[in-house]
Amino acid sequence: MGAPENPSHNLRVSAERLWGNLMQAATMGGTAKGGVCRLTLTEEDRQARDWLAKQATALGCAMSVDDMGVMYARQRGQRNDVPPIAIGSHLDSQPTGGKFDGALGVLAALEVLQTLHAAGYETFAPVELVNWTNEEGSRFAPALTASGVFARVFEHDWALARADRSGIRFGEALEKIGYRGSERCGTRKFSAHFEVHIEQGPVLEREGKDIGVVTGVQGTRWFECTMTGAEAHTGSTPMQGRRNALIGAARVIEAVDAIARAHPPLAIATVGLLEVRPNSRNVIPGETFFTIDMRHPRDDVLDAMEHKLGDAVADAASALGLSAALTKIWTQPPVVFDPDCVECVRRAAARCGYSMRDIVSGAQHDSAYVARVAPTSMIFVPCRDGISHNEAEFSSQEQCARGAQVLLHAVLEFDRLLAHRHGQK
Amino acid sequence: MGAPENPSHNLRVSAERLWGNLMQAATMGGTAKGGVCRLTLTEEDRQARDWLAKQATALGCAMSVDDMGVMYARQRGQRNDVPPIAIGSHLDSQPTGGKFDGALGVLAALEVLQTLHAAGYETFAPVELVNWTNEEGSRFAPALTASGVFARVFEHDWALARADRSGIRFGEALEKIGYRGSERCGTRKFSAHFEVHIEQGPVLEREGKDIGVVTGVQGTRWFECTMTGAEAHTGSTPMQGRRNALIGAARVIEAVDAIARAHPPLAIATVGLLEVRPNSRNVIPGETFFTIDMRHPRDDVLDAMEHKLGDAVADAASALGLSAALTKIWTQPPVVFDPDCVECVRRAAARCGYSMRDIVSGAQHDSAYVARVAPTSMIFVPCRDGISHNEAEFSSQEQCARGAQVLLHAVLEFDRLLAHRHGQK
């Protein structure tokens, strides 16, 4: 016989309990089509937060909330002076989102805590579940608000002053649902940060892999554009001399698509949000407001795409007699995750016997910001047809459980690393 | 000396009183930029209606309201068995409308009643002020709802069941503001119908004419289009295989503009309203809903334009893997106004010494429907830069007063015609 097997190696999450929690969370903001509408800091979000706090508290975790509404549920370890290993994601969703985006990461983290608790297994470092506020950016732009503040990318006051389309500020919304804590976001330290997420793309499913070992995140740039022409009556204004702001938007929408297609295969670009003013059937649109999302793993390609976007807006405006204002509101450079964290994920997947591949995340995640201030990696699981940000989003009970199982063992791998660093066996 | 001058020839409206009423009405739904937002059957509309009823009642007029919310204020004449000469327009506005569109027609009619009342002048036939419900069609489509029912173009029940974008039905909205009367809309008879309106185009101003003698209205067709693709995450969905409903809408928006430009100089076409779903920065749009407004004085040209629109929608949908549903929701054929009414307007303008020209209305008006069931014409006054459906819409006190003055004398001209037909001098 060799050395005695480490008891942690046999720990297994409960696929049924995790699935039950996913389905339970999906009732909070659940939609008729089986999706979720749980916009950040709404009543539905509050409900899900309260429920999560109750689950974590039942495990004996200490709850805290910071001034960006980020929730932390800490399970003590042997050495509580060592910063915790953080695990989590977000509970907010898109307006017509699915059951898994964000929720899987939070509930896989809860499942890890539940598994450790049930086994009476004490980690070396504390393990801390984190629920990041406003990952999606649907209600308040930019996305990743709280993790951005945590990573000192955004200023506290600036973040609190972000307003939704009806003028309500982020800080007000936090207060309204009772989740504006006193701890200053970003003062807390993590030994590491791991996040499970559905891939939100087609690669793992297409290649039949169980787990994506996420080595980094592609770069993202967000823009806002306002084009202004002149409102006029659709019935008595000749075509000659019209200044139609919606024609301008239409040209830029087409151009954004063409710019991405001109940089294959990795460039992607999208106009997802467009508002027309006054938006009446018989008024020539006087103003349009729209957003542009551009992504690529390389900054030099993003520079070229951004340049083309500026040209497209200027060309459309000048041809149509419009004025235009294009603003870059968010830049997320390409991110490379911590090699130790990535290796812990890889070893965990191997220990569980799952097939895997390295992958660069197409979507942005809180982990991309947290990686600036703590060693970080992510774990992807396949999702059906690569569909996400959609009510039809789906990963199976087994796929979700594999993600949680790899998260558990990545935590334990990193915990052993920490113990080793602190001179423990 | 010849025959004694007809005393009616000296009647003059009060430019100051009319202007005061216009400014008073503009406070009901008044906007910060000096425009008016008085969407049909809202609280602001109710306020304006109550105020109008009070003014008309003070002149001794009998008020009634029909089941489409149309308001009638009748001033008795010598022969109250003769159907009244109707004068009026509408008090509802665009979301960012001006002070004059509709309001001028109603308040010029009120000014006519006030002038006759103050002079103690008794007409042969009754004179009746009319406030038509939902001319604009901004809140409930189609436009011209009540005049359409009056002219038996629309069914009562169908009109009452029209819903706004939040699902509230026309009938409910009428009840809510207390303007669903019991009289069946369309049972009332008019001897004639005259409407003063701002031109909403650049022609009179450009040519320096005081008055447009409106001989008819161009044809209009309204369409609604829904394009459906697939929602997906903007960050992890490759360009290949996307089904972006907003690209489809962008192509149709451009095509609609091009179709009008391909039929110069009279064709006009516009997409004024567009909704994007789910309308989130990081979701590829899964659905778009938009409206198309096409106008031309000839039906055969409108047929050709409609055909091209169908092609454009089908082409965009098939190229982008979208499904598309295009529906024609409203057809208003070209209208030719009653020659007697037109002649009364022409004589009235001449009697007042105003410069004038014949004009075909580019915009739709309640008069276009009323013309199907009663002899009708309209009187246009210039508006600055041809701008309308815009908070900057403006006609001067003098321009407004000239419109009311011509309306007064067109009524008196037609009244003499009626008296003559009934064997009176």
Side-chain angles (χ1 to χ4, degrees), chain A residues 18 32 58 87 123 143 166 223 225 231 244 256 266-267 279 291 298 357 389:
Chain A
L18 171 59
I87 53 178
T123 47
S166 72
F223 305 85
C225 186
E231 286 169 29
N244 184 335
V256 165
L266 294 180
N279 215 30
T291 62
R298 274 172 41 198
R357 66 162 276 165
H389 286 197

mmCIF file with all atom_site columns, all heavy atoms in Angstrom, chain A residues 18 32 58 87 123 143 166 223 225 231 244 256 266-267 279 291 298 357 389:
data_model
loop_
_atom_site.group_PDB
_atom_site.id
_atom_site.type_symbol
_atom_site.label_atom_id
_atom_site.label_alt_id
_atom_site.label_comp_id
_atom_site.label_asym_id
_atom_site.label_entity_id
_atom_site.label_seq_id
_atom_site.pdbx_PDB_ins_code
_atom_site.Cartn_x
_atom_site.Cartn_y
_atom_site.Cartn_z
_atom_site.occupancy
_atom_site.B_iso_or_equiv
_atom_site.pdbx_formal_charge
_atom_site.auth_seq_id
_atom_site.auth_comp_id
_atom_site.auth_asym_id
_atom_site.auth_atom_id
_atom_site.pdbx_PDB_model_num
ATOM 1   N N   . LEU A 1 18  ? -27.934 20.183 -6.154  1.00 0.00 ? 18  LEU A N   1
ATOM 2   C CA  . LEU A 1 18  ? -27.569 21.346 -6.980  1.00 0.00 ? 18  LEU A CA  1
ATOM 3   C C   . LEU A 1 18  ? -28.688 21.668 -7.970  1.00 0.00 ? 18  LEU A C   1
ATOM 4   O O   . LEU A 1 18  ? -29.096 22.829 -8.125  1.00 0.00 ? 18  LEU A O   1
ATOM 5   C CB  . LEU A 1 18  ? -26.261 21.057 -7.735  1.00 0.00 ? 18  LEU A CB  1
ATOM 6   C CG  . LEU A 1 18  ? -25.855 22.080 -8.803  1.00 0.00 ? 18  LEU A CG  1
ATOM 7   C CD1 . LEU A 1 18  ? -25.692 23.477 -8.194  1.00 0.00 ? 18  LEU A CD1 1
ATOM 8   C CD2 . LEU A 1 18  ? -24.558 21.651 -9.497  1.00 0.00 ? 18  LEU A CD2 1
ATOM 9   N N   . ALA A 1 32  ? -42.639 32.976 -18.307 1.00 0.00 ? 32  ALA A N   1
ATOM 10  C CA  . ALA A 1 32  ? -43.590 31.997 -18.845 1.00 0.00 ? 32  ALA A CA  1
ATOM 11  C C   . ALA A 1 32  ? -42.895 30.999 -19.761 1.00 0.00 ? 32  ALA A C   1
ATOM 12  O O   . ALA A 1 32  ? -43.267 29.829 -19.829 1.00 0.00 ? 32  ALA A O   1
ATOM 13  C CB  . ALA A 1 32  ? -44.708 32.719 -19.594 1.00 0.00 ? 32  ALA A CB  1
ATOM 14  N N   . ALA A 1 58  ? -27.627 28.713 7.079   1.00 0.00 ? 58  ALA A N   1
ATOM 15  C CA  . ALA A 1 58  ? -27.974 27.386 7.615   1.00 0.00 ? 58  ALA A CA  1
ATOM 16  C C   . ALA A 1 58  ? -26.756 26.474 7.696   1.00 0.00 ? 58  ALA A C   1
ATOM 17  O O   . ALA A 1 58  ? -26.746 25.502 8.451   1.00 0.00 ? 58  ALA A O   1
ATOM 18  C CB  . ALA A 1 58  ? -29.055 26.754 6.749   1.00 0.00 ? 58  ALA A CB  1
ATOM 19  N N   . ILE A 1 87  ? -15.293 31.594 -4.197  1.00 0.00 ? 87  ILE A N   1
ATOM 20  C CA  . ILE A 1 87  ? -15.973 30.853 -5.267  1.00 0.00 ? 87  ILE A CA  1
ATOM 21  C C   . ILE A 1 87  ? -17.341 31.497 -5.457  1.00 0.00 ? 87  ILE A C   1
ATOM 22  O O   . ILE A 1 87  ? -18.008 31.851 -4.502  1.00 0.00 ? 87  ILE A O   1
ATOM 23  C CB  . ILE A 1 87  ? -16.131 29.346 -4.917  1.00 0.00 ? 87  ILE A CB  1
ATOM 24  C CG1 . ILE A 1 87  ? -16.798 29.158 -3.540  1.00 0.00 ? 87  ILE A CG1 1
ATOM 25  C CG2 . ILE A 1 87  ? -14.784 28.653 -4.960  1.00 0.00 ? 87  ILE A CG2 1
ATOM 26  C CD1 . ILE A 1 87  ? -17.036 27.702 -3.161  1.00 0.00 ? 87  ILE A CD1 1
ATOM 27  N N   . THR A 1 123 ? -11.303 22.784 5.620   1.00 0.00 ? 123 THR A N   1
ATOM 28  C CA  . THR A 1 123 ? -10.232 23.212 4.709   1.00 0.00 ? 123 THR A CA  1
ATOM 29  C C   . THR A 1 123 ? -9.149  23.935 5.509   1.00 0.00 ? 123 THR A C   1
ATOM 30  O O   . THR A 1 123 ? -9.377  24.347 6.647   1.00 0.00 ? 123 THR A O   1
ATOM 31  C CB  . THR A 1 123 ? -10.783 24.167 3.640   1.00 0.00 ? 123 THR A CB  1
ATOM 32  O OG1 . THR A 1 123 ? -11.590 25.146 4.294   1.00 0.00 ? 123 THR A OG1 1
ATOM 33  C CG2 . THR A 1 123 ? -11.623 23.417 2.623   1.00 0.00 ? 123 THR A CG2 1
ATOM 34  N N   . ALA A 1 143 ? -21.405 46.631 -17.467 1.00 0.00 ? 143 ALA A N   1
ATOM 35  C CA  . ALA A 1 143 ? -21.516 45.339 -16.811 1.00 0.00 ? 143 ALA A CA  1
ATOM 36  C C   . ALA A 1 143 ? -20.376 45.185 -15.801 1.00 0.00 ? 143 ALA A C   1
ATOM 37  O O   . ALA A 1 143 ? -19.467 46.020 -15.753 1.00 0.00 ? 143 ALA A O   1
ATOM 38  C CB  . ALA A 1 143 ? -21.438 44.239 -17.868 1.00 0.00 ? 143 ALA A CB  1
ATOM 39  N N   . SER A 1 166 ? -34.455 54.560 -16.594 1.00 0.00 ? 166 SER A N   1
ATOM 40  C CA  . SER A 1 166 ? -35.505 55.406 -16.023 1.00 0.00 ? 166 SER A CA  1
ATOM 41  C C   . SER A 1 166 ? -34.936 56.400 -15.023 1.00 0.00 ? 166 SER A C   1
ATOM 42  O O   . SER A 1 166 ? -35.688 57.111 -14.353 1.00 0.00 ? 166 SER A O   1
ATOM 43  C CB  . SER A 1 166 ? -36.582 54.532 -15.355 1.00 0.00 ? 166 SER A CB  1
ATOM 44  O OG  . SER A 1 166 ? -36.075 53.981 -14.161 1.00 0.00 ? 166 SER A OG  1
ATOM 45  N N   . PHE A 1 223 ? -19.372 50.768 -26.650 1.00 0.00 ? 223 PHE A N   1
ATOM 46  C CA  . PHE A 1 223 ? -19.574 52.141 -27.104 1.00 0.00 ? 223 PHE A CA  1
ATOM 47  C C   . PHE A 1 223 ? -21.054 52.504 -27.009 1.00 0.00 ? 223 PHE A C   1
ATOM 48  O O   . PHE A 1 223 ? -21.915 51.632 -27.077 1.00 0.00 ? 223 PHE A O   1
ATOM 49  C CB  . PHE A 1 223 ? -19.147 52.290 -28.574 1.00 0.00 ? 223 PHE A CB  1
ATOM 50  C CG  . PHE A 1 223 ? -17.747 51.842 -28.857 1.00 0.00 ? 223 PHE A CG  1
ATOM 51  C CD1 . PHE A 1 223 ? -17.460 50.498 -29.113 1.00 0.00 ? 223 PHE A CD1 1
ATOM 52  C CD2 . PHE A 1 223 ? -16.697 52.753 -28.874 1.00 0.00 ? 223 PHE A CD2 1
ATOM 53  C CE1 . PHE A 1 223 ? -16.162 50.076 -29.375 1.00 0.00 ? 223 PHE A CE1 1
ATOM 54  C CE2 . PHE A 1 223 ? -15.398 52.341 -29.139 1.00 0.00 ? 223 PHE A CE2 1
ATOM 55  C CZ  . PHE A 1 223 ? -15.133 51.002 -29.383 1.00 0.00 ? 223 PHE A CZ  1
ATOM 56  N N   . CYS A 1 225 ? -23.704 55.402 -28.903 1.00 0.00 ? 225 CYS A N   1
ATOM 57  C CA  . CYS A 1 225 ? -23.769 56.375 -29.994 1.00 0.00 ? 225 CYS A CA  1
ATOM 58  C C   . CYS A 1 225 ? -25.144 57.056 -29.999 1.00 0.00 ? 225 CYS A C   1
ATOM 59  O O   . CYS A 1 225 ? -26.168 56.385 -29.852 1.00 0.00 ? 225 CYS A O   1
ATOM 60  C CB  . CYS A 1 225 ? -23.536 55.677 -31.334 1.00 0.00 ? 225 CYS A CB  1
ATOM 61  S SG  . CYS A 1 225 ? -23.433 56.800 -32.726 1.00 0.00 ? 225 CYS A SG  1
ATOM 62  N N   . GLU A 1 231 ? -36.880 65.762 -36.184 1.00 0.00 ? 231 GLU A N   1
ATOM 63  C CA  . GLU A 1 231 ? -38.226 65.192 -36.205 1.00 0.00 ? 231 GLU A CA  1
ATOM 64  C C   . GLU A 1 231 ? -39.071 65.960 -37.210 1.00 0.00 ? 231 GLU A C   1
ATOM 65  O O   . GLU A 1 231 ? -38.970 67.187 -37.278 1.00 0.00 ? 231 GLU A O   1
ATOM 66  C CB  . GLU A 1 231 ? -38.902 65.378 -34.841 1.00 0.00 ? 231 GLU A CB  1
ATOM 67  C CG  . GLU A 1 231 ? -38.380 64.484 -33.761 1.00 0.00 ? 231 GLU A CG  1
ATOM 68  C CD  . GLU A 1 231 ? -38.901 64.894 -32.393 1.00 0.00 ? 231 GLU A CD  1
ATOM 69  O OE1 . GLU A 1 231 ? -40.008 65.456 -32.314 1.00 0.00 ? 231 GLU A OE1 1
ATOM 70  O OE2 . GLU A 1 231 ? -38.165 64.666 -31.423 1.00 0.00 ? 231 GLU A OE2 1
ATOM 71  N N   . ASN A 1 244 ? -33.095 61.955 -41.098 1.00 0.00 ? 244 ASN A N   1
ATOM 72  C CA  . ASN A 1 244 ? -33.708 60.827 -40.396 1.00 0.00 ? 244 ASN A CA  1
ATOM 73  C C   . ASN A 1 244 ? -32.647 60.068 -39.598 1.00 0.00 ? 244 ASN A C   1
ATOM 74  O O   . ASN A 1 244 ? -31.799 59.373 -40.161 1.00 0.00 ? 244 ASN A O   1
ATOM 75  C CB  . ASN A 1 244 ? -34.382 59.930 -41.445 1.00 0.00 ? 244 ASN A CB  1
ATOM 76  C CG  . ASN A 1 244 ? -35.141 58.769 -40.832 1.00 0.00 ? 244 ASN A CG  1
ATOM 77  O OD1 . ASN A 1 244 ? -34.844 58.328 -39.727 1.00 0.00 ? 244 ASN A OD1 1
ATOM 78  N ND2 . ASN A 1 244 ? -36.126 58.274 -41.559 1.00 0.00 ? 244 ASN A ND2 1
ATOM 79  N N   . VAL A 1 256 ? -21.382 47.729 -38.269 1.00 0.00 ? 256 VAL A N   1
ATOM 80  C CA  . VAL A 1 256 ? -20.822 47.015 -37.113 1.00 0.00 ? 256 VAL A CA  1
ATOM 81  C C   . VAL A 1 256 ? -20.722 45.518 -37.430 1.00 0.00 ? 256 VAL A C   1
ATOM 82  O O   . VAL A 1 256 ? -19.704 44.867 -37.154 1.00 0.00 ? 256 VAL A O   1
ATOM 83  C CB  . VAL A 1 256 ? -21.682 47.275 -35.854 1.00 0.00 ? 256 VAL A CB  1
ATOM 84  C CG1 . VAL A 1 256 ? -21.364 46.274 -34.745 1.00 0.00 ? 256 VAL A CG1 1
ATOM 85  C CG2 . VAL A 1 256 ? -21.466 48.706 -35.371 1.00 0.00 ? 256 VAL A CG2 1
ATOM 86  N N   . LEU A 1 266 ? -12.337 35.312 -35.323 1.00 0.00 ? 266 LEU A N   1
ATOM 87  C CA  . LEU A 1 266 ? -12.604 35.530 -33.896 1.00 0.00 ? 266 LEU A CA  1
ATOM 88  C C   . LEU A 1 266 ? -13.331 36.834 -33.577 1.00 0.00 ? 266 LEU A C   1
ATOM 89  O O   . LEU A 1 266 ? -13.897 36.985 -32.493 1.00 0.00 ? 266 LEU A O   1
ATOM 90  C CB  . LEU A 1 266 ? -11.300 35.452 -33.095 1.00 0.00 ? 266 LEU A CB  1
ATOM 91  C CG  . LEU A 1 266 ? -10.647 34.057 -33.087 1.00 0.00 ? 266 LEU A CG  1
ATOM 92  C CD1 . LEU A 1 266 ? -9.354  34.063 -32.276 1.00 0.00 ? 266 LEU A CD1 1
ATOM 93  C CD2 . LEU A 1 266 ? -11.610 33.018 -32.498 1.00 0.00 ? 266 LEU A CD2 1
ATOM 94  N N   . ALA A 1 267 ? -13.298 37.807 -34.494 1.00 0.00 ? 267 ALA A N   1
ATOM 95  C CA  . ALA A 1 267 ? -13.928 39.096 -34.174 1.00 0.00 ? 267 ALA A CA  1
ATOM 96  C C   . ALA A 1 267 ? -15.449 38.948 -34.119 1.00 0.00 ? 267 ALA A C   1
ATOM 97  O O   . ALA A 1 267 ? -16.047 38.250 -34.939 1.00 0.00 ? 267 ALA A O   1
ATOM 98  C CB  . ALA A 1 267 ? -13.560 40.131 -35.226 1.00 0.00 ? 267 ALA A CB  1
ATOM 99  N N   . ASN A 1 279 ? -40.140 57.748 -31.566 1.00 0.00 ? 279 ASN A N   1
ATOM 100 C CA  . ASN A 1 279 ? -40.670 56.390 -31.770 1.00 0.00 ? 279 ASN A CA  1
ATOM 101 C C   . ASN A 1 279 ? -42.175 56.394 -31.976 1.00 0.00 ? 279 ASN A C   1
ATOM 102 O O   . ASN A 1 279 ? -42.919 55.749 -31.252 1.00 0.00 ? 279 ASN A O   1
ATOM 103 C CB  . ASN A 1 279 ? -40.282 55.469 -30.602 1.00 0.00 ? 279 ASN A CB  1
ATOM 104 C CG  . ASN A 1 279 ? -40.007 54.038 -31.083 1.00 0.00 ? 279 ASN A CG  1
ATOM 105 O OD1 . ASN A 1 279 ? -39.575 53.850 -32.224 1.00 0.00 ? 279 ASN A OD1 1
ATOM 106 N ND2 . ASN A 1 279 ? -40.264 53.048 -30.251 1.00 0.00 ? 279 ASN A ND2 1
ATOM 107 N N   . THR A 1 291 ? -26.086 51.052 -28.731 1.00 0.00 ? 291 THR A N   1
ATOM 108 C CA  . THR A 1 291 ? -24.851 50.585 -28.101 1.00 0.00 ? 291 THR A CA  1
ATOM 109 C C   . THR A 1 291 ? -24.126 49.637 -29.045 1.00 0.00 ? 291 THR A C   1
ATOM 110 O O   . THR A 1 291 ? -24.763 48.954 -29.853 1.00 0.00 ? 291 THR A O   1
ATOM 111 C CB  . THR A 1 291 ? -25.169 49.836 -26.803 1.00 0.00 ? 291 THR A CB  1
ATOM 112 O OG1 . THR A 1 291 ? -25.952 48.691 -27.112 1.00 0.00 ? 291 THR A OG1 1
ATOM 113 C CG2 . THR A 1 291 ? -25.929 50.731 -25.836 1.00 0.00 ? 291 THR A CG2 1
ATOM 114 N N   . ARG A 1 298 ? -7.338  39.955 -29.281 1.00 0.00 ? 298 ARG A N   1
ATOM 115 C CA  . ARG A 1 298 ? -6.127  40.784 -29.443 1.00 0.00 ? 298 ARG A CA  1
ATOM 116 C C   . ARG A 1 298 ? -6.481  42.260 -29.483 1.00 0.00 ? 298 ARG A C   1
ATOM 117 O O   . ARG A 1 298 ? -7.364  42.700 -30.215 1.00 0.00 ? 298 ARG A O   1
ATOM 118 C CB  . ARG A 1 298 ? -5.394  40.390 -30.727 1.00 0.00 ? 298 ARG A CB  1
ATOM 119 C CG  . ARG A 1 298 ? -4.442  39.209 -30.501 1.00 0.00 ? 298 ARG A CG  1
ATOM 120 C CD  . ARG A 1 298 ? -3.856  38.693 -31.789 1.00 0.00 ? 298 ARG A CD  1
ATOM 121 N NE  . ARG A 1 298 ? -3.482  39.767 -32.708 1.00 0.00 ? 298 ARG A NE  1
ATOM 122 C CZ  . ARG A 1 298 ? -3.277  39.573 -34.024 1.00 0.00 ? 298 ARG A CZ  1
ATOM 123 N NH1 . ARG A 1 298 ? -3.424  38.368 -34.556 1.00 0.00 ? 298 ARG A NH1 1
ATOM 124 N NH2 . ARG A 1 298 ? -2.941  40.583 -34.790 1.00 0.00 ? 298 ARG A NH2 1
ATOM 125 N N   . ARG A 1 357 ? -10.862 20.621 -22.327 1.00 0.00 ? 357 ARG A N   1
ATOM 126 C CA  . ARG A 1 357 ? -9.989  21.348 -23.245 1.00 0.00 ? 357 ARG A CA  1
ATOM 127 C C   . ARG A 1 357 ? -9.772  22.743 -22.674 1.00 0.00 ? 357 ARG A C   1
ATOM 128 O O   . ARG A 1 357 ? -10.611 23.278 -21.943 1.00 0.00 ? 357 ARG A O   1
ATOM 129 C CB  . ARG A 1 357 ? -10.566 21.437 -24.647 1.00 0.00 ? 357 ARG A CB  1
ATOM 130 C CG  . ARG A 1 357 ? -11.826 22.242 -24.777 1.00 0.00 ? 357 ARG A CG  1
ATOM 131 C CD  . ARG A 1 357 ? -12.093 22.661 -26.224 1.00 0.00 ? 357 ARG A CD  1
ATOM 132 N NE  . ARG A 1 357 ? -11.363 23.882 -26.551 1.00 0.00 ? 357 ARG A NE  1
ATOM 133 C CZ  . ARG A 1 357 ? -11.171 24.326 -27.786 1.00 0.00 ? 357 ARG A CZ  1
ATOM 134 N NH1 . ARG A 1 357 ? -11.594 23.646 -28.812 1.00 0.00 ? 357 ARG A NH1 1
ATOM 135 N NH2 . ARG A 1 357 ? -10.536 25.466 -27.991 1.00 0.00 ? 357 ARG A NH2 1
ATOM 136 N N   . HIS A 1 389 ? -28.099 33.944 -22.740 1.00 0.00 ? 389 HIS A N   1
ATOM 137 C CA  . HIS A 1 389 ? -28.825 35.220 -22.800 1.00 0.00 ? 389 HIS A CA  1
ATOM 138 C C   . HIS A 1 389 ? -30.121 34.981 -23.550 1.00 0.00 ? 389 HIS A C   1
ATOM 139 O O   . HIS A 1 389 ? -30.523 35.757 -24.417 1.00 0.00 ? 389 HIS A O   1
ATOM 140 C CB  . HIS A 1 389 ? -27.986 36.317 -23.466 1.00 0.00 ? 389 HIS A CB  1
ATOM 141 C CG  . HIS A 1 389 ? -26.891 36.821 -22.570 1.00 0.00 ? 389 HIS A CG  1
ATOM 142 N ND1 . HIS A 1 389 ? -26.234 38.012 -22.804 1.00 0.00 ? 389 HIS A ND1 1
ATOM 143 C CD2 . HIS A 1 389 ? -26.365 36.319 -21.433 1.00 0.00 ? 389 HIS A CD2 1
ATOM 144 C CE1 . HIS A 1 389 ? -25.325 38.193 -21.848 1.00 0.00 ? 389 HIS A CE1 1
ATOM 145 N NE2 . HIS A 1 389 ? -25.379 37.181 -21.010 1.00 0.00 ? 389 HIS A NE2 1
#
